[in-house]
Amino acid sequence: MPERSGAHVSPDASLADDVTLGPGAVIHASVTIGPGSAVGACAVLHPGTVLGSRCLVEDNAVLGKRPRLRPGSSARGDTGDLVVSDDVTICAGAVVYAGARIGAGSIVGDQAHVRERSVVGALTVIGRGTTVDFDTHVGDRVSIQTLVYLTALSVVEDDVFIGPGVTTTNDDTMGRHPRGSGLAGPVLRRACRIGGGAVLTPGVEIGAEAFVAAGAVVTCDVESRAVVVGVPARVVRRVRDEDLLDRWR
């Protein structure tokens, strides 16, 4: 029988026989945990969380948190349950909200936040302290470094690289818009690369295999394979054939 001493497990939770729980872990009602998974000390799995097989939830992580929103928040909407696929690691202190989806083999770093209704694809890494805001879609094999902010409604396609400290935005008016008017997160196309500390303004599209230099401020769309630098970002050349992703697999 696995070690579960000191954990608090609802009788309405469903845990495989070999699941291990650290001291102080809290497993609420209607939680499902697959075989071979482990939950660390003082981690909390809220009602409705589904955790796949061979997952690791480290100490003090919180899964399935329900959002608290101010009146009129653009984040309002149905939440649903959190679903975490097989072989996922949720690192220490991370918070993954109800309604999110985490793909197989992905890693959510220490103190990262993944908000409601966001989707993270397979084999993707979310760096320490990074926020993936609500209704964001992140593809497969994406590498997101430390302290990135992915604003709500962002789209990140497969194989994208996002350097440390990148900031994205989705509201040109900074809150002074009619209630219910649409926000516009950035779109990052396949295999583009965003350098550390870059800023992407609302609604910009970064083309496939494009390269945004560190510290650039992107205020308009970037064509596929363009290399942009500066404030505001300007095109200086194109990505060479030998630097395309398929050459580096």
Side-chain angles (χ1 to χ4, degrees):
M1 192 69 168
E3 175 60 42
R4 295 179 180 176
S5 176
H8 305 276
V9 182
S10 168
D12 295 324
S14 176
L15 280 63
D17 290 340
D18 63 347
V19 169
T20 59
L21 303 177
V26 179
I27 311 299
H28 284 280
S30 304
V31 168
T32 300
I33 305 179
S37 291
V39 177
C42 299
V44 179
L45 275 64
H46 284 283
T49 296
V50 178
L51 195 66
S53 300
R54 302 173 302 280
C55 291
L56 173 61
V57 179
E58 294 184 346
D59 301 345
N60 294 303
V62 177
L63 274 63
K65 180 183 185 298
R66 301 280 165 174
R68 288 187 60 81
L69 304 172
R70 63 178 173 81
S73 169
S74 56
R76 289 195 175 276
D78 294 336
T79 301
D81 296 331
L82 167 62
V83 177
V84 178
S85 299
D86 297 343
D87 302 302
V88 168
T89 298
I90 309 292
C91 294
V95 180
V96 185
Y97 280 58
R101 299 288 185 272
I102 309 295
S106 289
I107 298 172
V108 178
D110 297 338
Q111 303 169 330
H113 283 65
V114 180
R115 288 283 303 271
E116 64 272 20
R117 299 182 302 276
S118 286
V119 176
V120 175
L123 300 174
T124 284
V125 175
I126 308 294
R128 182 192 67 81
T130 283
T131 295
V132 178
D133 220 330
F134 65 89
D135 293 317
T136 288
H137 192 285
V138 178
D140 298 339
R141 301 174 302 279
V142 173
S143 179
I144 303 176
Q145 306 298 298
T146 297
L147 295 175
V148 170
Y149 176 62
L150 274 181
T151 192
L153 304 169
S154 298
V155 175
V156 181
E157 294 187 344
D158 297 345
D159 300 302
V160 167
F161 178 95
I162 304 176
V166 168
T167 299
T168 64
T169 58
N170 64 11
D171 182 3
D172 282 320
T173 72
M174 291 184 275
R176 298 184 182 180
H177 54 76
R179 182 172 294 181
S181 64
L183 303 176
V187 177
L188 278 58
R189 297 299 184 190
R190 177 187 175 273
C192 70
R193 293 172 287 169
I194 313 298
V199 176
L200 277 57
T201 57
V204 297
E205 179 171 327
I206 311 300
E209 295 275 10
F211 184 101
V212 176
V217 176
V218 181
T219 59
C220 58
D221 293 349
V222 176
E223 293 184 355
S224 298
R225 296 184 62 174
V227 176
V228 299
V229 305
V231 181
R234 65 190 186 282
V235 178
V236 294
R237 63 177 177 85
R238 289 178 57 79
V239 172
R240 299 172 301 182
D241 290 346
E242 56 266 35
D243 291 331
L244 296 176
L245 177 65
D246 289 345
R247 304 292 181 93
W248 291 90
R249 287 195 180 278

